[in-house]
Amino acid sequence: MGENTIVPVETQNVRAVKNAVRSTVNNNGMMAVVADVGSGKTTMFNYLADYWSSNPQKFRVITVKAFESPLTKIGVIMRLMMETINSDIHIPRGIERQYKGLTDELFRFTRNRSNRVILMIDEAQDLNYQTFMDIKKIHEIAGNGMKNMFSVILFGKPHRKWDKLYAGPEIGYRMNMVLLEELTQDEMIKIAEQRFTLNFENDAVRKRFTASVKYKTPLGIEFFAKALKKELGLDESESAHVNSELVTKIPMLSLKIRAKQAGIKQHDIAEAGRQVIKHKKVNEQRVSEFMNNKLDDEQLATELTVITEQLINSSLTRKRNIISGKAN
């Protein structure tokens, strides 16, 4: 394993992925891990890839990052597979010759029946339908007494593409799908304590922490752990003692960081507040009190929270549209 490899904290999701992966690799099968952003897919992907890569005598692992494209990527994938299995290979031209070359390399490496070739694809939801069909075709390469000579492990976000693939016999009947679930409270605490070195004062603080984290995922916990340590002036690698006073700041710390990332300033919130909140005085001073958890008006704080969230979402939508070329 590499020195910088993050070992996933053992949770129900991690156990489910490990068990499914073990069965898939042993049987040269096909599987997909599907989960929302921040659920730990990338951590698991890197951990597994590093684990197999550390034993090249037995494993050949091919890692691919998928990108949206109208064209099939099977040529690129086959070349990567051949180069990984045999670094000295001369890649032939033409898709049919590449298919034959891949077949030959798979046959040579898996002549030892305990050897395994593993194709891992991250962000697999971005592959077009034809690429999925082409992967299915090369996965059917047989030899050395095996129906399939390599395994396919896909990682991706929820997408209607999975429903189409899983419902059909060509891939759906062959593929095992693992859906990652929301973390339990105990798992959230375990990740916070073991991975992000947060030391909670007592069980009551632990419960308040889990309730305060908006997204019950490893990324959501990482976000808050970093915010808490920043508030305390600590380095990310240092341990942080979390008491009841500090844990109450979590929602506001999150909102402040997200607003900053979205480019939302206090005067933007104040201006939007004046347009919506007519029954109370809204200015930058009140917004500053709100952002620093010092506002003594609970109703106004709730209204400003809603406004800030709306500004953040609008900003992120504009940025996405600019990236995708939809902006005016």
Side-chain angles (χ1 to χ4, degrees):
M1 300 289 289
E3 290 183 6
N4 297 322
T5 301
I6 297 174
V7 178
V9 174
E10 195 75 7
T11 64
Q12 182 176 318
N13 284 334
V14 170
R15 286 191 294 273
V17 172
K18 283 183 177 179
N19 290 337
V21 163
R22 187 180 301 111
S23 175
T24 298
V25 171
N26 286 343
N27 295 288
N28 286 328
M30 180 183 293
M31 65 169 286
V33 178
V34 181
D36 289 319
V37 174
S39 298
K41 298 188 305 296
T42 300
T43 299
M44 281 299 301
F45 184 96
N46 293 336
Y47 171 77
L48 291 169
D50 285 353
Y51 171 77
W52 289 316
S53 297
S54 67
N55 187 0
Q57 299 303 314
K58 182 175 180 180
F59 297 106
R60 291 288 193 274
V61 56
I62 301 92
T63 58
V64 177
K65 175 76 76 171
F67 295 93
E68 285 193 56
S69 170
L71 304 175
T72 180
K73 294 292 185 181
I74 198 62
V76 174
I77 291 171
M78 286 198 295
R79 288 196 295 273
L80 285 171
M81 291 183 71
M82 282 186 280
E83 289 169 349
T84 302
I85 297 170
N86 179 6
S87 59
D88 296 325
I89 191 172
H90 172 72
I91 304 296
R93 292 187 178 182
I95 200 77
E96 292 83 5
R97 290 184 179 180
Q98 289 172 0
Y99 178 87
K100 176 63 167 56
L102 176 60
T103 301
D104 292 342
E105 294 304 325
L106 286 167
F107 186 86
R108 290 190 190 96
F109 186 71
T110 62
R111 189 173 285 120
N112 180 338
R113 293 284 295 274
S114 67
N115 285 355
R116 289 291 181 266
V117 175
I118 306 154
L119 173 62
M120 297 180 69
I121 302 178
D122 197 13
E123 301 296 346
Q125 78 283 341
D126 286 340
L127 295 175
N128 63 34
Y129 190 71
Q130 185 58 51
T131 302
F132 280 111
M133 294 299 104
D134 290 339
I135 289 172
K136 189 269 298 186
K137 290 176 186 176
I138 65 171
H139 185 243
E140 291 174 341
I141 295 174
N144 294 326
M146 296 181 286
K147 182 181 178 182
N148 312 100
M149 285 197 285
F150 68 96
S151 55
V152 179
I153 303 176
L154 310 171
F155 284 74
K157 301 183 186 73
H159 194 282
R160 59 183 179 276
K161 228 174 260 183
W162 298 116
D163 296 333
K164 182 179 179 181
L165 289 170
Y166 205 57
E170 285 197 278
I171 291 181
Y173 288 8
R174 295 173 169 85
M175 183 171 65
N176 177 29
M177 188 174 292
V178 178
L179 302 175
L180 300 192
E181 305 291 338
E182 190 175 83
L183 295 171
T184 66
Q185 287 189 346
D186 288 343
E187 289 174 338
M188 291 175 68
I189 293 299
K190 189 176 181 181
I191 291 173
E193 292 180 335
Q194 292 186 11
R195 184 170 170 189
F196 300 111
T197 59
L198 299 185
N199 299 317
F200 297 94
E201 190 172 59
N202 52 44
D203 286 339
V205 173
R206 289 187 180 92
K207 289 180 180 179
R208 292 191 68 176
F209 175 81
T210 57
S212 298
V213 176
K214 184 175 181 181
Y215 299 106
K216 318 299 184 186
T217 64
L219 184 62
I221 297 167
E222 178 180 8
F223 185 86
F224 287 118
K226 288 181 176 179
L228 286 169
K229 291 182 181 182
K230 185 176 181 180
E231 178 75 5
L232 294 170
L234 298 173
D235 185 79
E236 290 181 10
S237 62
E238 294 182 272
S239 298
H241 179 73
V242 185
N243 57 27
S244 57
E245 180 183 355
L246 186 58
V247 79
T248 59
K249 297 181 179 180
I250 290 176
M252 186 53 66
L253 284 171
S254 168
L255 195 64
K256 285 173 69 174
I257 293 172
R258 290 169 54 231
K260 184 177 180 180
Q261 290 174 338
I264 306 300
K265 302 186 183 303
Q266 290 187 5
H267 72 81
D268 298 323
I269 301 171
E271 183 177 341
R274 284 191 290 270
Q275 295 176 13
V276 177
I277 304 170
K278 303 296 185 181
H279 57 287
K280 293 185 179 180
K281 182 179 180 180
V282 180
N283 54 31
E284 288 191 40
Q285 175 61 34
R286 302 232 74 189
V287 171
S288 177
E289 292 172 359
F290 160 68
M291 298 295 278
N292 289 286
N293 257 353
K294 295 180 179 178
L295 188 63
D296 57 3
D297 188 326
E298 187 174 337
Q299 181 183 355
L300 180 56
T302 300
E303 291 173 312
L304 289 174
T305 298
V306 172
I307 289 169
T308 305
E309 290 282 4
Q310 291 172 343
L311 289 172
I312 292 171
N313 291 334
S314 296
S315 175
L316 294 177
T317 299
R318 285 196 302 272
K319 289 178 180 178
R320 281 195 293 267
N321 287 341
I322 290 171
I323 292 171
S324 62
K326 296 178 182 178
N328 293 329

